[in-house]
Amino acid sequence: MRIGFVGLGAMGLPMAGHLVKAGHEVSVASRSRGPIDAAVAFGAHHAGTPRQVAEAAELIILCVPNSPEVVEVIDGMLGALGPGHTVVDCSTIDPEVERAQHLRVAATGARYLDAPLSGGTTGARNGVLTLMVGGDAATLADVTPALDAFAGLIVHVGGPGMGQVVKLCNQVIYGAQMTATAEATALAVKSGVDMHKLLEVLTHATGDCVAVRTRLPVAGVVAESPASHNWEPGFMTDLMAKDLDLALVYAAKSGVAMATTETARQMLSAAQEAGYGREDFSAVAKVVLAGAGAGAGAGAG
């Protein structure tokens, strides 16, 4: 297919690479020159603007930070869209904003899906991301062969905006997992627990979860944990904070109390204030560990 890709960040760049490897003709646009050069090096074409991407492609994939950027990109390409175009937004944004983009794009005769991602930079590099898709099921069936290039699982979860709702539900749970994992780690470190033994128990007990398995926040215990790699982000603190903000706003509109999510957001705020905004969001543990009087590298066993 002729595919356009707008947004070559930590997720978007490897996703575009998988599309090129799958044999698609990929045209890209992004705000930073470095990722554009990297994409051109692996075989993509630099289209320039979002409108030029739409003019060059039949399927356009967006992967940008937040709601305003999605609206800006749609603004730019709207005049070039029409029957024969499909736009797939892989960003994580406000569900109501996303529903408005569905309507704007549909008015041109083009088709639109919201398809936020889960799996982080590791999933993007390995081409095994989970996509939760909102919109028309037949449209999804048409573009699934292209999306398969970077997806391990694609699930149609409902109508317009429902992909975003499901993604926010996922982030609510993951944010709570990480907060609890950080607090449990601080308690264990402060008490002198062998962290390798703690990991062995947790991964075979009811405390087992993705945060424990992939982000136990002590260096040298979990090989792929950001704590073992100077907190290099698989998913940045600033982005998780943004996602929980979206969840809290949407929950308030829906009349749902989110006390646990509010606590997780407060922990992320503390990490941001400590200067960890561009580190992995598991860096919330550094705040908890500092408060407990224990270093993040302590207690490795």
PDB file of all heavy atoms in Angstrom, residues 178 181 184-185 195-196 198-199 202 210-222 225-228 231 282 285:
ATOM      1  N   MET A 178       2.185   0.495  38.816  1.00  0.00           N
ATOM      2  CA  MET A 178       3.525   1.032  39.027  1.00  0.00           C
ATOM      3  C   MET A 178       3.642   1.730  40.365  1.00  0.00           C
ATOM      4  O   MET A 178       4.673   1.624  41.048  1.00  0.00           O
ATOM      5  CB  MET A 178       3.887   1.999  37.883  1.00  0.00           C
ATOM      6  CG  MET A 178       5.390   2.326  37.831  1.00  0.00           C
ATOM      7  SD  MET A 178       6.409   0.875  37.491  1.00  0.00           S
ATOM      8  CE  MET A 178       7.365   0.761  39.020  1.00  0.00           C
ATOM      9  N   THR A 181       3.880  -1.019  42.916  1.00  0.00           N
ATOM     10  CA  THR A 181       5.184  -1.677  42.806  1.00  0.00           C
ATOM     11  C   THR A 181       6.278  -0.813  43.414  1.00  0.00           C
ATOM     12  O   THR A 181       7.187  -1.315  44.101  1.00  0.00           O
ATOM     13  CB  THR A 181       5.499  -1.988  41.332  1.00  0.00           C
ATOM     14  OG1 THR A 181       4.495  -2.868  40.819  1.00  0.00           O
ATOM     15  CG2 THR A 181       6.863  -2.641  41.171  1.00  0.00           C
ATOM     16  N   ALA A 184       5.872  -1.005  47.256  1.00  0.00           N
ATOM     17  CA  ALA A 184       6.296  -2.312  47.756  1.00  0.00           C
ATOM     18  C   ALA A 184       7.817  -2.440  47.703  1.00  0.00           C
ATOM     19  O   ALA A 184       8.449  -2.986  48.625  1.00  0.00           O
ATOM     20  CB  ALA A 184       5.642  -3.424  46.935  1.00  0.00           C
ATOM     21  N   THR A 185       8.417  -1.922  46.633  1.00  0.00           N
ATOM     22  CA  THR A 185       9.870  -1.957  46.510  1.00  0.00           C
ATOM     23  C   THR A 185      10.533  -1.158  47.626  1.00  0.00           C
ATOM     24  O   THR A 185      11.513  -1.612  48.230  1.00  0.00           O
ATOM     25  CB  THR A 185      10.297  -1.403  45.138  1.00  0.00           C
ATOM     26  OG1 THR A 185       9.758  -2.239  44.113  1.00  0.00           O
ATOM     27  CG2 THR A 185      11.809  -1.353  45.012  1.00  0.00           C
ATOM     28  N   MET A 195      16.079  -8.576  46.873  1.00  0.00           N
ATOM     29  CA  MET A 195      15.136  -8.206  45.825  1.00  0.00           C
ATOM     30  C   MET A 195      14.953  -9.304  44.782  1.00  0.00           C
ATOM     31  O   MET A 195      13.902  -9.414  44.165  1.00  0.00           O
ATOM     32  CB  MET A 195      15.563  -6.899  45.168  1.00  0.00           C
ATOM     33  CG  MET A 195      15.567  -5.709  46.127  1.00  0.00           C
ATOM     34  SD  MET A 195      13.960  -5.441  46.943  1.00  0.00           S
ATOM     35  CE  MET A 195      12.945  -4.958  45.556  1.00  0.00           C
ATOM     36  N   HIS A 196      15.976 -10.123  44.577  1.00  0.00           N
ATOM     37  CA  HIS A 196      15.812 -11.251  43.667  1.00  0.00           C
ATOM     38  C   HIS A 196      14.805 -12.251  44.239  1.00  0.00           C
ATOM     39  O   HIS A 196      13.990 -12.819  43.497  1.00  0.00           O
ATOM     40  CB  HIS A 196      17.153 -11.938  43.417  1.00  0.00           C
ATOM     41  CG  HIS A 196      18.099 -11.136  42.583  1.00  0.00           C
ATOM     42  ND1 HIS A 196      19.023 -10.273  43.140  1.00  0.00           N
ATOM     43  CD2 HIS A 196      18.253 -11.048  41.240  1.00  0.00           C
ATOM     44  CE1 HIS A 196      19.711  -9.694  42.167  1.00  0.00           C
ATOM     45  NE2 HIS A 196      19.263 -10.142  41.008  1.00  0.00           N
ATOM     46  N   LEU A 198      12.387 -11.434  46.343  1.00  0.00           N
ATOM     47  CA  LEU A 198      11.089 -10.772  46.259  1.00  0.00           C
ATOM     48  C   LEU A 198      10.492 -10.967  44.858  1.00  0.00           C
ATOM     49  O   LEU A 198       9.308 -11.304  44.709  1.00  0.00           O
ATOM     50  CB  LEU A 198      11.223  -9.284  46.557  1.00  0.00           C
ATOM     51  CG  LEU A 198       9.925  -8.472  46.416  1.00  0.00           C
ATOM     52  CD1 LEU A 198       8.937  -8.851  47.509  1.00  0.00           C
ATOM     53  CD2 LEU A 198      10.217  -6.973  46.444  1.00  0.00           C
ATOM     54  N   LEU A 199      11.313 -10.765  43.831  1.00  0.00           N
ATOM     55  CA  LEU A 199      10.838 -10.933  42.454  1.00  0.00           C
ATOM     56  C   LEU A 199      10.362 -12.363  42.217  1.00  0.00           C
ATOM     57  O   LEU A 199       9.302 -12.582  41.607  1.00  0.00           O
ATOM     58  CB  LEU A 199      11.952 -10.587  41.468  1.00  0.00           C
ATOM     59  CG  LEU A 199      11.603 -10.772  39.986  1.00  0.00           C
ATOM     60  CD1 LEU A 199      10.521  -9.798  39.558  1.00  0.00           C
ATOM     61  CD2 LEU A 199      12.853 -10.590  39.126  1.00  0.00           C
ATOM     62  N   LEU A 202       6.954 -12.698  43.973  1.00  0.00           N
ATOM     63  CA  LEU A 202       5.879 -11.916  43.369  1.00  0.00           C
ATOM     64  C   LEU A 202       5.419 -12.484  42.038  1.00  0.00           C
ATOM     65  O   LEU A 202       4.226 -12.456  41.721  1.00  0.00           O
ATOM     66  CB  LEU A 202       6.324 -10.463  43.186  1.00  0.00           C
ATOM     67  CG  LEU A 202       6.511  -9.640  44.458  1.00  0.00           C
ATOM     68  CD1 LEU A 202       6.977  -8.233  44.110  1.00  0.00           C
ATOM     69  CD2 LEU A 202       5.229  -9.586  45.286  1.00  0.00           C
ATOM     70  N   VAL A 210       2.399  -6.774  35.278  1.00  0.00           N
ATOM     71  CA  VAL A 210       3.357  -6.333  34.262  1.00  0.00           C
ATOM     72  C   VAL A 210       4.399  -5.402  34.867  1.00  0.00           C
ATOM     73  O   VAL A 210       5.590  -5.475  34.536  1.00  0.00           O
ATOM     74  CB  VAL A 210       2.624  -5.653  33.089  1.00  0.00           C
ATOM     75  CG1 VAL A 210       3.619  -5.032  32.123  1.00  0.00           C
ATOM     76  CG2 VAL A 210       1.746  -6.660  32.371  1.00  0.00           C
ATOM     77  N   ALA A 211       3.988  -4.511  35.767  1.00  0.00           N
ATOM     78  CA  ALA A 211       4.943  -3.573  36.364  1.00  0.00           C
ATOM     79  C   ALA A 211       6.030  -4.299  37.140  1.00  0.00           C
ATOM     80  O   ALA A 211       7.208  -3.922  37.093  1.00  0.00           O
ATOM     81  CB  ALA A 211       4.212  -2.579  37.266  1.00  0.00           C
ATOM     82  N   VAL A 212       5.672  -5.342  37.857  1.00  0.00           N
ATOM     83  CA  VAL A 212       6.661  -6.134  38.598  1.00  0.00           C
ATOM     84  C   VAL A 212       7.597  -6.848  37.630  1.00  0.00           C
ATOM     85  O   VAL A 212       8.827  -6.837  37.792  1.00  0.00           O
ATOM     86  CB  VAL A 212       5.957  -7.154  39.521  1.00  0.00           C
ATOM     87  CG1 VAL A 212       6.950  -8.212  40.010  1.00  0.00           C
ATOM     88  CG2 VAL A 212       5.311  -6.450  40.702  1.00  0.00           C
ATOM     89  N   ARG A 213       7.028  -7.459  36.603  1.00  0.00           N
ATOM     90  CA  ARG A 213       7.841  -8.267  35.694  1.00  0.00           C
ATOM     91  C   ARG A 213       8.774  -7.440  34.811  1.00  0.00           C
ATOM     92  O   ARG A 213       9.855  -7.902  34.460  1.00  0.00           O
ATOM     93  CB  ARG A 213       6.933  -9.124  34.802  1.00  0.00           C
ATOM     94  CG  ARG A 213       6.292 -10.277  35.541  1.00  0.00           C
ATOM     95  CD  ARG A 213       5.415 -11.106  34.625  1.00  0.00           C
ATOM     96  NE  ARG A 213       4.905 -12.277  35.340  1.00  0.00           N
ATOM     97  CZ  ARG A 213       5.492 -13.475  35.334  1.00  0.00           C
ATOM     98  NH1 ARG A 213       6.603 -13.659  34.646  1.00  0.00           N
ATOM     99  NH2 ARG A 213       4.977 -14.482  36.008  1.00  0.00           N
ATOM    100  N   THR A 214       8.367  -6.239  34.452  1.00  0.00           N
ATOM    101  CA  THR A 214       9.159  -5.466  33.484  1.00  0.00           C
ATOM    102  C   THR A 214       9.758  -4.194  34.061  1.00  0.00           C
ATOM    103  O   THR A 214      10.661  -3.621  33.454  1.00  0.00           O
ATOM    104  CB  THR A 214       8.299  -5.074  32.272  1.00  0.00           C
ATOM    105  OG1 THR A 214       7.269  -4.163  32.681  1.00  0.00           O
ATOM    106  CG2 THR A 214       7.665  -6.301  31.637  1.00  0.00           C
ATOM    107  N   ARG A 215       9.274  -3.728  35.221  1.00  0.00           N
ATOM    108  CA  ARG A 215       9.726  -2.434  35.730  1.00  0.00           C
ATOM    109  C   ARG A 215      10.012  -2.445  37.229  1.00  0.00           C
ATOM    110  O   ARG A 215       9.927  -1.408  37.880  1.00  0.00           O
ATOM    111  CB  ARG A 215       8.670  -1.357  35.423  1.00  0.00           C
ATOM    112  CG  ARG A 215       8.728  -0.866  33.979  1.00  0.00           C
ATOM    113  CD  ARG A 215       7.672   0.191  33.695  1.00  0.00           C
ATOM    114  NE  ARG A 215       7.986   0.945  32.497  1.00  0.00           N
ATOM    115  CZ  ARG A 215       7.730   0.540  31.259  1.00  0.00           C
ATOM    116  NH1 ARG A 215       7.146  -0.637  31.075  1.00  0.00           N
ATOM    117  NH2 ARG A 215       8.047   1.297  30.223  1.00  0.00           N
ATOM    118  N   LEU A 216      10.364  -3.613  37.788  1.00  0.00           N
ATOM    119  CA  LEU A 216      10.752  -3.600  39.202  1.00  0.00           C
ATOM    120  C   LEU A 216      11.878  -2.581  39.351  1.00  0.00           C
ATOM    121  O   LEU A 216      12.931  -2.713  38.722  1.00  0.00           O
ATOM    122  CB  LEU A 216      11.216  -4.975  39.658  1.00  0.00           C
ATOM    123  CG  LEU A 216      11.322  -5.105  41.187  1.00  0.00           C
ATOM    124  CD1 LEU A 216       9.933  -5.284  41.801  1.00  0.00           C
ATOM    125  CD2 LEU A 216      12.219  -6.263  41.579  1.00  0.00           C
ATOM    126  N   PRO A 217      11.683  -1.545  40.164  1.00  0.00           N
ATOM    127  CA  PRO A 217      12.568  -0.370  40.085  1.00  0.00           C
ATOM    128  C   PRO A 217      13.833  -0.434  40.940  1.00  0.00           C
ATOM    129  O   PRO A 217      14.129   0.483  41.711  1.00  0.00           O
ATOM    130  CB  PRO A 217      11.635   0.763  40.535  1.00  0.00           C
ATOM    131  CG  PRO A 217      10.718   0.107  41.516  1.00  0.00           C
ATOM    132  CD  PRO A 217      10.493  -1.286  41.005  1.00  0.00           C
ATOM    133  N   VAL A 218      14.575  -1.518  40.788  1.00  0.00           N
ATOM    134  CA  VAL A 218      15.870  -1.657  41.444  1.00  0.00           C
ATOM    135  C   VAL A 218      16.860  -2.183  40.408  1.00  0.00           C
ATOM    136  O   VAL A 218      16.595  -3.190  39.747  1.00  0.00           O
ATOM    137  CB  VAL A 218      15.806  -2.609  42.655  1.00  0.00           C
ATOM    138  CG1 VAL A 218      17.192  -2.837  43.237  1.00  0.00           C
ATOM    139  CG2 VAL A 218      14.868  -2.070  43.728  1.00  0.00           C
ATOM    140  N   ALA A 219      17.970  -1.513  40.252  1.00  0.00           N
ATOM    141  CA  ALA A 219      18.939  -1.890  39.229  1.00  0.00           C
ATOM    142  C   ALA A 219      19.458  -3.306  39.434  1.00  0.00           C
ATOM    143  O   ALA A 219      19.759  -3.716  40.560  1.00  0.00           O
ATOM    144  CB  ALA A 219      20.105  -0.903  39.230  1.00  0.00           C
ATOM    145  N   GLY A 220      19.536  -4.063  38.331  1.00  0.00           N
ATOM    146  CA  GLY A 220      20.173  -5.365  38.361  1.00  0.00           C
ATOM    147  C   GLY A 220      19.281  -6.521  38.747  1.00  0.00           C
ATOM    148  O   GLY A 220      19.756  -7.655  38.824  1.00  0.00           O
ATOM    149  N   VAL A 221      18.003  -6.273  38.977  1.00  0.00           N
ATOM    150  CA  VAL A 221      17.103  -7.358  39.370  1.00  0.00           C
ATOM    151  C   VAL A 221      16.323  -7.867  38.157  1.00  0.00           C
ATOM    152  O   VAL A 221      16.288  -9.065  37.895  1.00  0.00           O
ATOM    153  CB  VAL A 221      16.148  -6.903  40.490  1.00  0.00           C
ATOM    154  CG1 VAL A 221      15.216  -8.042  40.890  1.00  0.00           C
ATOM    155  CG2 VAL A 221      16.939  -6.431  41.704  1.00  0.00           C
ATOM    156  N   VAL A 222      15.704  -6.972  37.422  1.00  0.00           N
ATOM    157  CA  VAL A 222      15.029  -7.318  36.168  1.00  0.00           C
ATOM    158  C   VAL A 222      15.862  -6.729  35.039  1.00  0.00           C
ATOM    159  O   VAL A 222      16.050  -5.507  34.964  1.00  0.00           O
ATOM    160  CB  VAL A 222      13.591  -6.753  36.134  1.00  0.00           C
ATOM    161  CG1 VAL A 222      12.950  -6.997  34.775  1.00  0.00           C
ATOM    162  CG2 VAL A 222      12.752  -7.384  37.239  1.00  0.00           C
ATOM    163  N   SER A 225      14.348  -3.913  32.996  1.00  0.00           N
ATOM    164  CA  SER A 225      13.762  -2.791  33.727  1.00  0.00           C
ATOM    165  C   SER A 225      14.524  -1.495  33.445  1.00  0.00           C
ATOM    166  O   SER A 225      15.762  -1.492  33.390  1.00  0.00           O
ATOM    167  CB  SER A 225      13.780  -3.056  35.234  1.00  0.00           C
ATOM    168  OG  SER A 225      13.347  -1.914  35.953  1.00  0.00           O
ATOM    169  N   PRO A 226      13.822  -0.372  33.270  1.00  0.00           N
ATOM    170  CA  PRO A 226      14.525   0.908  33.102  1.00  0.00           C
ATOM    171  C   PRO A 226      15.493   1.212  34.241  1.00  0.00           C
ATOM    172  O   PRO A 226      16.497   1.886  34.020  1.00  0.00           O
ATOM    173  CB  PRO A 226      13.380   1.919  33.049  1.00  0.00           C
ATOM    174  CG  PRO A 226      12.242   1.142  32.466  1.00  0.00           C
ATOM    175  CD  PRO A 226      12.358  -0.225  33.075  1.00  0.00           C
ATOM    176  N   ALA A 227      15.206   0.709  35.436  1.00  0.00           N
ATOM    177  CA  ALA A 227      16.116   0.930  36.564  1.00  0.00           C
ATOM    178  C   ALA A 227      17.490   0.321  36.297  1.00  0.00           C
ATOM    179  O   ALA A 227      18.505   0.787  36.836  1.00  0.00           O
ATOM    180  CB  ALA A 227      15.532   0.342  37.842  1.00  0.00           C
ATOM    181  N   SER A 228      17.527  -0.704  35.464  1.00  0.00           N
ATOM    182  CA  SER A 228      18.795  -1.348  35.111  1.00  0.00           C
ATOM    183  C   SER A 228      19.490  -0.664  33.941  1.00  0.00           C
ATOM    184  O   SER A 228      20.582  -1.070  33.541  1.00  0.00           O
ATOM    185  CB  SER A 228      18.539  -2.827  34.753  1.00  0.00           C
ATOM    186  OG  SER A 228      17.976  -3.523  35.842  1.00  0.00           O
ATOM    187  N   TRP A 231      17.249   4.419  33.799  1.00  0.00           N
ATOM    188  CA  TRP A 231      15.881   4.943  33.667  1.00  0.00           C
ATOM    189  C   TRP A 231      15.559   5.402  32.243  1.00  0.00           C
ATOM    190  O   TRP A 231      14.723   6.271  32.023  1.00  0.00           O
ATOM    191  CB  TRP A 231      15.615   6.060  34.687  1.00  0.00           C
ATOM    192  CG  TRP A 231      15.934   5.629  36.087  1.00  0.00           C
ATOM    193  CD1 TRP A 231      17.118   5.859  36.739  1.00  0.00           C
ATOM    194  CD2 TRP A 231      15.127   4.841  36.954  1.00  0.00           C
ATOM    195  NE1 TRP A 231      17.087   5.264  37.986  1.00  0.00           N
ATOM    196  CE2 TRP A 231      15.878   4.637  38.147  1.00  0.00           C
ATOM    197  CE3 TRP A 231      13.845   4.307  36.855  1.00  0.00           C
ATOM    198  CZ2 TRP A 231      15.377   3.914  39.231  1.00  0.00           C
ATOM    199  CZ3 TRP A 231      13.347   3.580  37.937  1.00  0.00           C
ATOM    200  CH2 TRP A 231      14.107   3.396  39.089  1.00  0.00           C
ATOM    201  N   SER A 282       8.525   4.531  35.550  1.00  0.00           N
ATOM    202  CA  SER A 282       8.874   3.777  36.752  1.00  0.00           C
ATOM    203  C   SER A 282       9.773   4.576  37.683  1.00  0.00           C
ATOM    204  O   SER A 282       9.986   4.190  38.842  1.00  0.00           O
ATOM    205  CB  SER A 282       9.546   2.459  36.377  1.00  0.00           C
ATOM    206  OG  SER A 282      10.690   2.672  35.567  1.00  0.00           O
ATOM    207  N   ALA A 285       9.399   5.492  41.441  1.00  0.00           N
ATOM    208  CA  ALA A 285       9.985   4.756  42.555  1.00  0.00           C
ATOM    209  C   ALA A 285      11.129   5.514  43.204  1.00  0.00           C
ATOM    210  O   ALA A 285      11.374   5.367  44.403  1.00  0.00           O
ATOM    211  CB  ALA A 285      10.466   3.388  42.093  1.00  0.00           C
TER     212      ALA A 285
END
